[in-house]
Amino acid sequence: MRLTRKRLCSLLVALYCLFSLYAAYHVFFGRSRRASAASLRGLRKGAAAAARERRGREQSTLGSEEWNPWEGDEKNEQQHRFKTSLQILNKSTKGKIDVRVQIWGKAAIGLYLWEHIFEGLLYPSDVTAQWREGNSVVGRTHYSFITGPAVVPGYFSVDVNNVVLILNGREKGKVFYATQWLLYAQNLVQTKKLQHVAVVLLGNEHCNNEWINEFLKRNGGFVELLFIVYDSPWINDMDVFQWPLGVATYRNFPVVETSWSVLHNERPYLCNFLGTVYENSSRQALMNILKQDGIDKLCWVSVREQWQPRETNESLKNYQEALLQSDLTLCPVGVNTECYRIYEACSYGSVPVVEDVMTAGGCGNTSGYHNAPLQLLKSMDAPFIFIKNWKELPAVLEKEKTIILQEKIQRRKMLLHWYQQFKTELKMRFTNILESSFLMNNKR
């Protein structure tokens, strides 16, 4: 019995010791374990949060690469600037505009007027667009310009009182088309939708323009002012004025920006002539002169026997390069003395050598002018070389050989300055004539 009690007490003491040891272990080692587990859980939570944040940043960065919230504004920036400039223009000219004129450009010379003389912009810039338009203010006149195949009589709104109509009357087919526009404008005047009409006309190269006579106001018509290309005997500087032929915009000849190379570079060719040589023309005589004594080796010469109305990109580039690389540009007469080549040479600072002779037809001197041909250019002191016969050319080229580069640079500057002043003077003269006529007639 005593032995049993002894064993029971020993068992209880052993259990107590075991419990004490467990309690001591739990107290001293359990807290550290929980802290480690908590720390581990904290680290895991922190790492997960950091990963989520990193993934968020990565997704945000990726999203910013895939989507640009300013992209739409950037695409419309040019249009916005244009609208803003028009608003500023309207504010700055508010109360100062006396005349508002819309120009209907229905001939290629309209682009010369707008882009070269007025230095105006067209929107859209795509030359193949169906409808293009622009705005400009000159003096007291606000101009709007419209052009393109979509500009058709009766298919656009007319919200102005004054119109300048630009037409092509060079040949029979063009005259028919131009007449339809004049009849449309006449109807607008008769129905009081228009007050004043002026016409800029690419006239016939023989100056046979009688078809437009009936529309002139002095003959009972409605056209108050006529600006006409070529040396028409009608020119009187009262209601009929001479207008320049300009560059061949129908062949996409560009507005040329003056650069350092245009002014200062040495040009490897004394002269150039790229064009059509007609049988029994003075151009044949020119070619014979160029072949004498190897003169053609000093000039960029490329000829063809048939006239081509359209330029390829390559032929236009070659032509522009010839102008840029030549000190002189030879300008023989064609059907008319005035040719696109004169103005295109000026654009590149290449001095035109102009054959100063009258061609067949009805063009010539008037009661007020005795400088035909090229009355307008001569009246504005064009710094060209005028010759009466191509036999004078060898002497011109011999003199050219003696001119040093610095003198040629000064001559280029003078020519380019004159050409810019020529266009500016035309713009101001054109505007003053319109203002004087339209405003004066408004007071009647």
Side-chain angles (χ1 to χ4, degrees):
M1 184 69 162
R2 185 177 295 173
L3 181 60
T4 302
R5 288 180 180 175
K6 187 175 180 180
R7 288 179 176 174
L8 180 61
C9 288
S10 299
L11 179 62
L12 290 174
V13 170
L15 289 173
Y16 176 80
C17 290
L18 289 172
F19 179 79
S20 298
L21 289 172
Y22 174 78
Y25 176 83
H26 183 73
V27 170
F28 292 106
F29 297 100
R31 182 181 300 173
S32 166
R33 183 179 175 185
R34 286 193 301 271
S36 298
S39 298
L40 181 61
R41 286 195 299 270
L43 287 173
R44 287 175 178 171
K45 288 181 181 179
R52 285 195 300 271
E53 182 180 356
R54 184 168 59 253
R55 285 195 300 270
R57 284 198 303 268
E58 290 171 351
Q59 289 171 355
S60 176
T61 302
L62 180 61
S64 67
E65 290 174 354
E66 293 177 346
W67 176 68
N68 179 2
W70 294 279
E71 185 177 0
D73 292 338
E74 291 170 355
K75 289 181 178 179
N76 296 322
E77 184 179 357
Q78 182 178 4
Q79 183 178 359
H80 175 70
R81 286 201 305 268
F82 175 58
K83 290 180 179 179
T84 302
S85 65
L86 285 181
Q87 291 171 356
I88 295 172
L89 178 64
N90 290 335
K91 289 180 181 179
S92 64
T93 57
K94 188 175 182 181
K96 299 177 183 179
I97 300 300
D98 292 331
V99 184
R100 293 186 179 274
V101 176
Q102 190 167 62
I103 303 174
W104 300 347
K106 296 311 299 178
I109 58 169
L111 294 179
Y112 182 69
L113 178 149
W114 188 254
E115 295 184 317
H116 294 252
I117 294 178
F118 276 67
E119 298 178 303
L121 299 177
L122 285 175
Y123 298 91
S125 59
D126 180 9
V127 296
T128 64
Q130 294 293 302
W131 178 286
R132 304 176 73 197
E133 59 185 78
N135 291 273
S136 181
V137 174
V138 182
R140 298 175 294 166
T141 300
H142 176 274
Y143 291 100
S144 59
F145 182 92
I146 59 174
T147 190
V151 181
V152 179
Y155 287 86
F156 62 96
S157 61
V158 179
D159 54 1
V160 294
N161 294 323
N162 313 297
V163 162
V164 174
L165 188 52
I166 303 180
L167 300 172
N168 185 343
R170 177 175 278 188
E171 54 194 44
K172 188 175 181 179
K174 303 295 185 182
V175 168
F176 175 81
Y177 183 67
T179 301
Q180 303 311 305
W181 272 101
L182 287 169
L183 292 173
Y184 173 64
Q186 184 179 53
N187 180 65
L188 293 176
V189 172
Q190 291 172 346
T191 56
K192 309 298 182 182
K193 294 180 180 178
L194 280 182
Q195 283 185 308
H196 306 293
V197 177
V199 170
V200 177
L201 179 66
L202 175 57
N204 177 269
E205 290 177 281
H206 295 294
C207 293
N208 298 327
N209 303 302
E210 286 73 16
W211 64 273
I212 201 173
N213 245 327
E214 63 179 290
F215 296 102
L216 301 184
K217 194 163 189 175
R218 64 182 181 183
N219 298 322
F222 65 96
V223 176
E224 298 174 26
L225 302 168
L226 176 63
F227 299 85
I228 191 167
V229 176
Y230 303 125
D231 294 288
S232 170
W234 296 355
I235 296 167
N236 57 19
D237 282 352
M238 292 184 290
D239 64 338
V240 182
F241 305 84
Q242 189 166 8
W243 192 252
L245 177 61
V247 303
T249 55
Y250 75 96
R251 288 180 170 177
N252 297 322
F253 192 90
V255 176
V256 180
E257 299 293 337
T258 301
S259 64
W260 190 92
S261 60
V262 170
L263 286 173
H264 296 90
N265 278 6
E266 184 84 53
R267 301 191 177 189
Y269 298 97
L270 287 183
C271 66
N272 77 80
F273 174 70
L274 285 72
T276 307
V277 175
Y278 305 103
E279 190 175 355
N280 299 321
S281 69
S282 68
R283 298 187 178 195
Q284 277 193 334
L286 169 60
M287 294 308 300
N288 292 333
I289 295 294
L290 287 174
K291 291 175 183 177
Q292 292 178 8
D293 302 322
I295 297 178
D296 58 336
K297 301 296 189 297
L298 304 175
C299 299
W300 186 326
V301 179
S302 177
V303 300
R304 57 195 178 197
E305 294 181 356
Q306 290 186 340
W307 178 75
Q308 300 292 330
R310 298 292 176 187
E311 294 280 3
T312 64
N313 290 336
E314 182 180 359
S315 65
L316 178 60
K317 182 179 179 181
N318 286 340
Y319 177 57
Q320 291 175 274
E321 191 67 18
L323 296 174
L324 181 60
Q325 298 297 331
S326 306
D327 291 312
L328 307 176
T329 294
L330 308 182
C331 303
V333 301
V335 180
N336 193 280
T337 308
E338 189 174 9
C339 60
Y340 298 112
R341 188 179 288 104
I342 294 173
Y343 303 91
E344 292 161 351
C346 290
S347 299
Y348 281 97
S350 182
V351 178
V353 180
V354 180
E355 185 179 8
D356 186 17
V357 297
M358 281 299 305
T359 53
C363 304
N365 294 323
T366 69
S367 58
Y369 293 92
H370 303 281
N371 291 326
L374 308 174
Q375 297 172 133
L376 178 63
L377 292 169
K378 291 175 182 176
S379 70
M380 299 182 73
D381 299 320
F384 304 163
I385 299 173
F386 293 97
I387 63 176
K388 293 294 184 181
N389 192 302
W390 287 114
K391 292 180 180 179
E392 302 172 39
L393 181 61
V396 171
L397 296 181
E398 284 300 318
K399 181 179 179 181
E400 192 69 19
K401 293 177 184 178
T402 67
I403 302 176
I404 63 173
L405 177 59
Q406 192 58 39
E407 292 175 342
K408 291 180 178 180
I409 290 172
Q410 292 304 315
R411 185 176 63 181
R412 290 173 203 164
K413 289 180 179 179
M414 182 180 69
L415 176 60
L416 289 166
H417 176 73
W418 173 87
Y419 187 47
Q420 182 60 46
Q421 289 299 110
F422 170 77
K423 292 184 289 185
T424 301
E425 175 66 23
L426 283 174
K427 176 175 65 176
M428 298 310 300
R429 185 184 297 182
F430 181 80
T431 299
N432 291 338
I433 291 169
L434 291 185
E435 289 177 354
S436 298
S437 178
F438 291 175
L439 290 176
M440 181 179 67
N441 289 333
N442 282 342
K443 296 176 182 178
R444 291 178 179 174

